[in-house]
């Protein structure tokens, strides 16, 4: 192989070889570097989506998982599903695995707001678009995710607070069961509820503690509320989700008080068990938080793959259900 001395022009045949090599290297680089959203997959290539789910801590989560799996199957998507068992580190590991697998799109329901900056930067460098579902993250730069599909948790907290204010004429001694510490719904549902409480001097929150969105933990914490010095004065229980409210209902009854009567119970999600409790008269109100995000998620993924612009925030639509509105037909009509 002749060594090329610097400063002398290359012979013509060598120039052609160098140019061809450079062009093929460029073509290879372009082919490997996925563009966010970018060029749609060839018609015969199945869309590959990596989804990181938090776990199975509540009826809401179970319904959310089913909605996403059912929709992926319906659309023939190759869904790489990872259940983090409630551990955010497992979610970060799952996203790194999806990047290694070079999936087309990553979707994630992030357990807590913090801890996502680094792995989302890795996904961006790999050219893989990330869609947030259910909960938001806190990062330096929101270009690290394409969009967030989920509910307005602050509004959900306001709706719960407003229902209680309307129901009691603005007078209540409240115990609060918070969700998972550091999770967006916990932070925002507390914020929204407190906005309403602040408008009513007769409403006070005397106990507030996390039940981690779990029924058993909600029962355990509410037992402690009932045993506390403030216990006998509590006239309302606000739970950040139905599962904790259903646990609290057991604790209130065990303390010799009537849930739904002596202690009003208001919560969020709108799962089927909450509608049953409203029919039973032990739950007074649930603010709907729709877990059936599968259709919206895959509509958004397909739009991203077609290279279409999607809004940074996609809101789910929800209502408020008071037990006076609930019948056996309402219960039968619930999809989750
Ligand atoms: C809300 C979701 C919450 C539910 C809980 O979008 O993140 O997590 O309210 C679930 O039931 O555990």
């Amino acid at each position: 192989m002749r060594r090329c001395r610097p400063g002398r022009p290359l012979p013509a045949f060598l120039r052609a070889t160098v140019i061809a090599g450079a062009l093929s290297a460029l073509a290879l680089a372009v082919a490997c570097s996925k563009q966010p959203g970018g060029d749609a997959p060839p018609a015969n290539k199945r869309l590959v989506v990596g989804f990181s789910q938090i776990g199975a801590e509540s009826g809401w989560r179970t319904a959310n998982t089913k909605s996403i799996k059912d929709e992926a199957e319906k659309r023939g998507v190759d869904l790489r599903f990872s259940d983090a068992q409630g551990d955010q580190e497992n979610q970060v590991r799952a996203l790194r695995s999806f990047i290694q697998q070079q999936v087309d799109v990553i979707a994630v329901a992030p357990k807590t707001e913090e801890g996502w900056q680094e792995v989302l930067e890795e996904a961006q460098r790999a050219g893989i678009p990330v869609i947030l579902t259910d909960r938001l993250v806190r990062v330096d730069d929101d270009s690290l995710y394409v969009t967030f599909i989920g509910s307005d948790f602050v509004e959900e907290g306001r709706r719960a607070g407003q229902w209680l204010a309307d129901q009691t004429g603005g007078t209540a001694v409240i115990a609060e069961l918070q969700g998972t510490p550091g999770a967006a719904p916990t932070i925002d549902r507390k914020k929204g509820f407190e906005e309403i409480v602040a408008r009513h001097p007769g409403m006070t929150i005397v106990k507030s503690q996390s039940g981690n969105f779990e029924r058993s933990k909600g029962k355990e914490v509410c037992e402690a509320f009932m045993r506390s010095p403030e216990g006998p004065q509590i006239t309302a229980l606000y739970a950040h989700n139905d599962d904790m409210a259903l646990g609290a209902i057991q604790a209130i009854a065990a303390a010799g008080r009537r849930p739904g009567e002596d202690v009003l119970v208001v919560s969020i999600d709108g799962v089927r068990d909450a509608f049953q409790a409203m029919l039973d008269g032990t739950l007074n109100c649930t603010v709907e938080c729709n877990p059936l995000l599968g259709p919206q998620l895959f509509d958004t993924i397909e739009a991203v793959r077609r290279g279409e612009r999607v809004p940074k925030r996609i809101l789910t639509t929800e209502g408020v259900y008071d037990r006076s509105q609930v019948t056996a037909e309402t219960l039968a009509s619930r999809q989750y």
Side-chain angles (χ1 to χ4, degrees):
M1 174 76 175
R2 282 182 59 190
R3 288 177 60 78
C4 305
R5 282 198 296 279
R8 290 192 54 190
L10 286 173
F13 83 93
L14 264 183
R15 274 205 306 275
T17 309
V18 168
I19 291 167
L23 287 175
S24 56
L26 178 64
L28 183 64
V30 168
C32 291
S33 69
K34 286 177 173 294
Q35 297 304 318
D39 46 322
N44 58 351
K45 179 183 179 299
R46 271 184 89 189
L47 184 62
V48 182
V49 174
F51 184 80
S52 169
Q53 179 59 292
I54 295 171
E57 74 282 0
S58 63
W60 190 98
R61 186 67 52 200
T62 305
N64 178 246
T65 291
K66 184 176 186 309
S67 173
I68 286 162
K69 286 182 171 178
D70 289 353
E71 196 65 22
E73 185 176 352
K74 182 176 154 189
R75 298 186 189 213
V77 170
D78 177 354
L79 181 69
R80 313 282 168 87
F81 184 90
S82 163
D83 179 333
Q85 308 287 319
D87 179 339
Q88 177 162 339
E89 281 308 307
N90 288 341
Q91 291 199 280
V92 172
R93 276 190 280 275
L95 264 63
R96 291 202 163 109
S97 170
F98 297 149
I99 293 167
Q100 285 298 320
Q101 296 171 51
Q102 289 210 321
V103 299
D104 296 310
V105 178
I106 289 172
V108 53
K111 179 179 178 185
T112 55
E113 292 189 342
E114 305 295 342
W116 297 96
Q117 183 76 26
E118 196 177 323
V119 71
L120 293 186
E121 287 174 351
E122 292 165 26
Q124 190 171 64
R125 285 197 294 272
I128 301 176
V130 174
I131 292 175
L132 303 180
T133 81
D134 174 20
R135 299 180 185 178
L136 196 52
V137 298
R138 194 182 296 277
V139 288
D140 298 347
D141 168 9
D142 70 6
S143 74
L144 290 172
Y145 59 89
V146 174
T147 186
F148 162 48
I149 304 171
S151 305
D152 179 342
F153 301 131
V154 176
E155 180 55 25
E156 290 172 350
R158 290 193 194 103
R159 289 176 179 176
Q162 192 55 54
W163 177 89
L164 187 60
D166 294 345
Q167 196 69 21
T168 62
T171 301
V173 177
I174 305 159
E176 177 184 27
L177 284 170
Q178 296 185 40
T180 303
T186 303
I187 295 163
D188 289 352
R189 286 171 181 169
K190 182 167 184 50
K191 180 181 174 192
F193 188 82
E194 287 175 345
E195 269 181 30
I196 303 300
V197 168
R199 295 178 195 160
H200 299 276
M203 293 174 78
T204 54
I205 300 173
V206 295
K207 304 296 285 184
S208 184
Q209 191 178 328
S210 173
N212 202 36
F213 285 132
E214 295 166 7
R215 193 173 302 200
S216 56
K217 193 70 177 154
K219 178 171 183 283
E220 181 189 318
V221 172
C222 191
E223 283 166 348
F225 288 166
M226 290 291 114
R227 285 195 304 269
S228 71
E230 298 86 350
Q233 285 79 41
I234 292 170
T235 61
L237 186 285
Y238 166 52
H240 290 188
N241 83 327
D242 292 336
D243 283 70
M244 293 189 294
L246 294 165
I249 284 167
Q250 295 174 38
I252 294 165
R257 307 198 51 204
R258 295 174 300 162
E261 302 299 333
D262 305 331
V263 179
L264 299 181
V265 182
V266 52
S267 64
I268 299 173
D269 275 353
V271 296
R272 188 175 283 112
D273 286 353
F275 280 80
Q276 183 59 60
M278 286 193 283
L279 273 179
D280 298 342
T282 54
L283 179 71
N284 299 86
C285 171
T286 183
V287 174
E288 188 178 32
C289 175
N290 186 353
L292 307 180
L293 301 180
Q296 271 182 303
L297 173 60
F298 286 101
D299 283 347
T300 305
I301 287 171
E302 289 171 1
V304 168
R305 292 295 292 155
R306 289 191 298 269
E308 294 169 16
R309 292 193 63 76
V310 297
K312 201 68 187 173
R313 178 80 173 83
I314 299 174
L315 260 181
T316 47
T317 49
E318 288 134 2
V320 179
Y321 293 88
D322 177 290
R323 73 178 179 189
S324 62
Q325 300 164 288
V326 177
T327 64
E329 290 71 29
T330 322
L331 178 59
S333 71
R334 296 297 297 171
Q335 293 180 68
Y336 65 94

